[in-house]
Amino acid sequence: MSFINTSNLRGDVMGGLTAGIVALPLALAFGEASGAGPIAGLYGAIIVGFLAALFGGTGSQISGPTGPMVVVFAGVYASLGGNPALVFSAVVLAGLLQIAFGLMKVGQLIRLVPYPVVSGFMSGIGVIIIALQTSRLFGHEPSSSGTIAALEAIPGAVADPNLTALAIGVVTLAIVFMWPKNLGKIVPAPLAALVVATIISIAFEGAPILGDVPTGLPSFILPAFEKDSVLIVLEAAFLLALLGAIDSLLTSLVADNMTRTRHNSDQELIGQGIGNSVAGLFGGVPGAGATMRTVINIRSGGQFKISGMVHGLILLAVALVLAPFASLIPHAALAGILIKVGNDIIDWSYLKRAHRGPRWDLILMALVLGLTVFVDLITAVAVGVVLAALAFIKQLSEEQLKRLNVTEREIESDEERALLASSNGAVTLFDFGGPLSFGAAADLGHHVREKANGNAKVLILDFERVPFLDLSAAKAVETIVEDASALGKTLFVSGVNEDVDKVLHGLEVAPLIPDENWFKDRRSALTQAVATVEKIKADLPESAATATS
């Protein structure tokens, strides 16, 4: 295929080989944690890893089952009673949604999710993974009823541990957390932990193990829908698609920073969608761009699509030949590996310095984290995005009102300042300092009334620095025009560009202002305003004119 770059073939093969070795224990662990079995995690890593690399938009990205995706998938697996036709229908549909996201150019929009929201739900997922695996570390099966049930089960598991499983779990944790970096370049910590833990499990029986693991190629699963479960499937598909998209694009940004390249967000979504759709048809756990595996691939020399494809082929060879050996792997070892994954997902780097940043960002992050752990991911992300947007709008509106200049000190032009000063307060100039949106519109009319000089005879609304305004702002301008008319003040408008003019005319605000009161620039408006004030004074009786001046 012409779009496959072979200029870094040796580096890509080495990167893919290393990433495949690292991915093996994680794929088995994620498969077991999902409820579908370790081989399902392996199938997901093979199919998503190969196809997302082939059709995606990030050359060095390694894809496969990830913590966030597995948390959601495990929930739908439990909700649908493990029915493969229904469960994997959600995966297929999620992939199709991701393809649609890519075709509709949604990639850039997903990247606009605020960092506190991303940090909160990723950290929440890390907490969920740790909560679900803690009981397994002590030799007990985790609860499938959700995070709260899993947390409630931990004291019982701690009080009645399987000592062999606990010993294996402790050794696994020690290896994955303390494995020297120089040895990690030769043997990845998760793989070393898996081998050592399995040897201990064989030597000292008594710890629960995976048992029979199928070998060979996966079977085709025909998707199905049932009336009673269609809403669960649709909700799960949307969440998997959205979460996988965010997870993948965040990893793409990491890859960009390391390789000094620029990924194609929409093509990446299409590639992830193809991978997940096919994985769902063959019973594979859904996946996304995996940050740790991508970093390892790049550091091992991988740069282009071939690296991700090699990673998938390495795992395929394992599935065809070595799957029977996986039956001896103890549950506690996989639990220890996943606890390390959960710990890595928690955003410790932000939490350590959060107290030095904006307080609202910390509150938002904590809220999203709590909702992720104790409610669900959709609610957490939706609430987080809405609150972040409202906070931004409030901040923007306050800034817009701050930039509403009404004093002659803020006018840069000496000529304009002199014109305004010569009116002796009879002219009030309002210089809108930027875009006018619905956030500022609510207070705009009140602000103008409050700032307008009591002796003002002419008000000037200067739009020179307003690139656009929305309906709410246009209605606020209409209110200002009506107030000025009611108070007997003359209102001028200056500096209106084509876009603003179109909105004001389209919403029939412009006809409320006489044609002769529209000016191309502020200086012209000020000149005419001063002349208008002088005319008003000339028309008044001498005593009234003196009082006015």
Side-chain angles (χ1 to χ4, degrees):
M1 294 178 123
S2 60
F3 61 84
I4 294 181
N5 191 325
T6 58
S7 63
N8 185 49
L9 188 59
R10 185 177 182 278
D12 288 336
V13 170
M14 288 305 299
L17 176 63
T18 307
I21 293 171
V22 172
L24 173 60
L26 295 175
L28 296 173
F30 283 134
E32 181 66 12
S34 73
I39 197 66
L42 199 54
Y43 289 155
I46 293 167
I47 297 170
V48 179
F50 186 89
L51 294 179
L54 179 61
F55 296 106
T58 312
S60 56
Q61 179 124 290
I62 300 295
S63 301
T66 63
M69 297 293 278
V70 167
V71 166
V72 177
F73 180 75
V76 70
Y77 193 90
S79 299
L80 297 174
N83 184 329
L86 295 176
V87 171
F88 290 104
S89 293
V91 180
V92 173
L93 187 55
L96 295 176
L97 284 172
Q98 287 181 323
I99 294 173
F101 289 165
L103 293 175
M104 293 187 296
K105 310 293 184 185
V106 176
Q108 297 297 324
L109 297 178
I110 291 176
R111 289 169 59 185
L112 296 178
V113 176
Y115 184 83
V117 177
V118 174
S119 175
F121 81 73
M122 293 297 283
S123 297
I125 287 168
V127 171
I128 291 173
I129 291 174
I130 293 171
L132 293 176
Q133 297 304 314
T134 301
S135 291
R136 185 171 275 165
L137 196 72
F138 287 83
H140 295 263
E141 277 302 296
S143 172
S144 60
S145 303
T147 309
I148 296 176
L151 289 170
E152 291 174 344
I154 291 175
V158 173
D160 182 28
N162 178 317
L163 295 179
T164 306
L166 179 58
I168 290 171
V170 170
V171 169
T172 301
L173 287 174
I175 293 174
V176 294
F177 275 97
M178 302 173 66
W179 193 249
K181 286 186 178 181
N182 57 339
L183 286 180
K185 295 176 181 178
I186 304 170
V187 181
L191 186 62
L194 204 63
V195 172
V196 171
T198 303
I199 292 173
I200 295 174
S201 178
I202 294 171
F204 302 94
E205 296 182 359
I209 60 175
L210 292 182
D212 184 41
V213 176
T215 187
L217 296 173
S219 302
F220 181 79
I221 297 176
L222 184 66
F225 293 92
E226 293 180 358
K227 268 186 179 180
D228 296 340
S229 58
V230 67
L231 288 178
I232 297 175
V233 171
L234 291 174
E235 181 181 359
F238 178 76
L239 184 52
L240 284 170
L242 184 62
L243 193 57
I246 294 172
D247 207 0
S248 298
L249 295 183
L250 288 174
T251 302
S252 295
L253 291 176
V254 172
D256 285 352
N257 289 333
M258 294 185 67
T259 60
R260 299 297 184 266
T261 57
R262 185 177 179 84
H263 73 278
N264 184 327
S265 298
D266 298 314
Q267 187 61 44
E268 183 60 36
L269 292 182
I270 292 173
Q272 294 291 336
I274 292 172
N276 280 315
S277 295
V278 177
L281 293 173
F282 291 95
V285 172
T291 305
M292 183 180 74
R293 280 158 272 176
T294 298
V295 170
I296 288 170
N297 174 45
I298 295 170
R299 287 178 176 169
S300 302
Q303 292 182 30
F304 304 118
K305 294 175 180 287
I306 290 175
S307 59
M309 296 162 67
V310 168
H311 146 269
L313 293 174
I314 293 296
L315 293 175
L316 177 61
V318 171
L320 293 175
V321 179
L322 300 178
F325 296 99
S327 62
L328 301 173
I329 296 173
H331 286 299
L334 297 181
I337 291 171
L338 286 176
I339 287 174
K340 176 62 163 64
V341 171
N343 178 78
D344 290 343
I345 292 175
I346 295 174
D347 192 359
W348 296 113
S349 64
Y350 170 66
L351 289 173
K352 288 175 183 176
R353 50 191 173 175
H355 63 282
R356 295 197 296 269
R359 183 175 298 179
W360 165 247
D361 286 345
L362 177 58
I363 293 172
L364 182 61
M365 185 270 190
L367 176 63
V368 173
L369 192 159
L371 290 173
T372 300
V373 174
F374 297 108
V375 184
D376 60 67
L377 281 167
I378 284 184
T379 301
V381 174
V383 169
V385 169
V386 169
L387 289 179
L390 290 175
F392 174 74
I393 290 167
K394 181 177 182 294
Q395 184 179 19
L396 180 63
S397 64
E398 289 174 351
E399 189 62 30
Q400 288 173 346
L401 290 175
K402 283 180 185 177
R403 292 203 302 256
L404 188 59
N405 299 335
V406 294
T407 66
E408 59 184 76
R409 294 192 311 274
E410 294 163 325
I411 301 176
E412 296 177 1
S413 167
D414 291 336
E415 182 182 0
E416 292 175 0
R417 190 184 298 113
L419 282 168
L420 189 60
S422 69
S423 73
N424 293 319
V427 176
T428 303
L429 170 67
F430 293 93
D431 175 11
F432 302 114
L436 291 178
S437 67
F438 64 92
D443 293 324
L444 193 59
H446 172 73
H447 192 81
V448 170
R449 282 193 299 271
E450 188 179 70
K451 296 290 184 181
N453 190 302
N455 296 323
K457 302 300 180 184
V458 180
L459 305 181
I460 301 175
L461 305 184
D462 182 44
F463 289 84
E464 187 173 342
R465 293 192 287 176
V466 180
F468 63 86
L469 52 76
D470 61 13
L471 169 61
S472 301
K475 294 298 290 183
V477 172
E478 182 179 5
T479 301
I480 293 169
V481 174
E482 291 172 347
D483 285 351
S485 177
L487 294 171
K489 299 180 186 295
T490 303
L491 187 136
F492 290 169
V493 174
S494 65
V496 175
N497 66 31
E498 186 177 342
D499 291 335
V500 173
D501 183 74
K502 186 176 180 181
V503 173
L504 292 176
H505 276 84
L507 296 174
E508 298 184 355
V509 177
L512 300 175
I513 306 168
D515 292 342
E516 63 271 17
N517 288 10
W518 293 73
F519 297 89
K520 184 178 181 180
D521 54 57
R522 185 165 61 191
R523 186 181 62 79
S524 302
L526 279 167
T527 301
Q528 184 58 46
V530 172
T532 301
V533 169
E534 292 299 328
K535 185 176 184 303
I536 292 173
K537 288 181 180 179
D539 292 341
L540 288 174
E542 186 176 342
S543 58
T546 303
T548 302
S549 61

